[in-house]
Amino acid sequence: MSQIPLVRRSPVPPDTCNLAKAIDLIGDRWTLLILRAALYGVRRFDDFQSELGCPRTVLSGRLKKLVDAGLLTKKSYKAPGKRARPEYVLSAIGLSLRPILIGLTQWGDAWLGQGEAPPISFTRAGSKSAIRAAFVDVEGREVRPDQIRPVLRG
């Protein structure tokens, strides 16, 4: 694996870098755990709170931030005999994070799993064919991480 060359400054300042903006939006622990749970189908406030153990005020703030950013949509549901309450459903933008979160899961399996079998795996819909996160070029050929080079625009 090749080393990344030493530089004194990132080629893109953080205030104009979309990676920095993404980290600012989804980069804290609770937000990532909410997105993880939502990808698995959790949609209701009490279910998020019960699963994550997140303080209610923190959860409320993170859900609002994700709705305001367009990653979650808020829809109303009503259980029989109860008042209407919101559900938080992943939008197209939120669902587009699936490959990133699967890649992060697979990275954790490889480097943090301590040799244990992963608790979850992913397959192609309609088959039992295992999938893994990878980069591909426009011709569909896989590109190894050590073959990726940044290209500055402008």
Side-chain angles (χ1 to χ4, degrees):
M1 183 160 71
S2 63
Q3 290 281 333
I4 297 173
L6 173 68
V7 297
R8 294 201 174 270
R9 184 174 287 270
S10 299
V12 180
D15 61 335
T16 60
C17 176
N18 289 326
L19 175 57
K21 291 175 187 177
I23 290 168
D24 188 45
L25 177 61
I26 65 167
D28 75 86
R29 178 179 192 266
W30 291 121
T31 301
L32 285 167
L33 289 173
I34 290 165
L35 289 169
R36 173 200 158 273
L39 279 169
Y40 291 142
V42 177
R43 295 191 307 246
R44 297 178 178 176
F45 185 94
D46 289 339
D47 295 336
F48 281 115
Q49 206 281 320
S50 174
E51 177 171 324
L52 303 177
C54 182
R56 294 179 77 79
T57 55
V58 172
L59 178 58
S60 179
R62 296 309 191 284
L63 288 169
K64 180 180 180 342
K65 182 178 178 180
L66 289 167
V67 168
D68 290 347
L71 278 79
L72 294 174
T73 58
K74 204 168 161 180
K75 298 184 178 189
S76 186
Y77 77 94
K78 189 176 186 311
K82 302 282 186 177
R83 64 181 172 88
R85 305 187 88 168
E87 279 189 331
Y88 300 89
V89 180
L90 285 164
S91 66
I93 297 168
L95 284 168
S96 71
L97 286 169
R98 183 181 289 152
I100 289 111
L101 295 174
I102 289 172
L104 193 55
T105 300
Q106 292 174 344
W107 177 86
D109 292 343
W111 295 100
L112 307 175
Q114 300 175 342
E116 300 282 328
I120 192 167
S121 61
F122 303 92
T123 62
R124 183 179 192 139
S127 79
K128 293 182 181 180
S129 179
I131 63 164
R132 62 182 172 79
F135 289 98
V136 295
D137 64 18
V138 295
E139 285 86 31
R141 295 175 302 216
E142 186 170 336
V143 179
R144 294 187 326 262
D146 64 332
Q147 295 173 316
I148 298 171
R149 299 287 177 262
V151 177
L152 292 175
R153 305 282 181 222

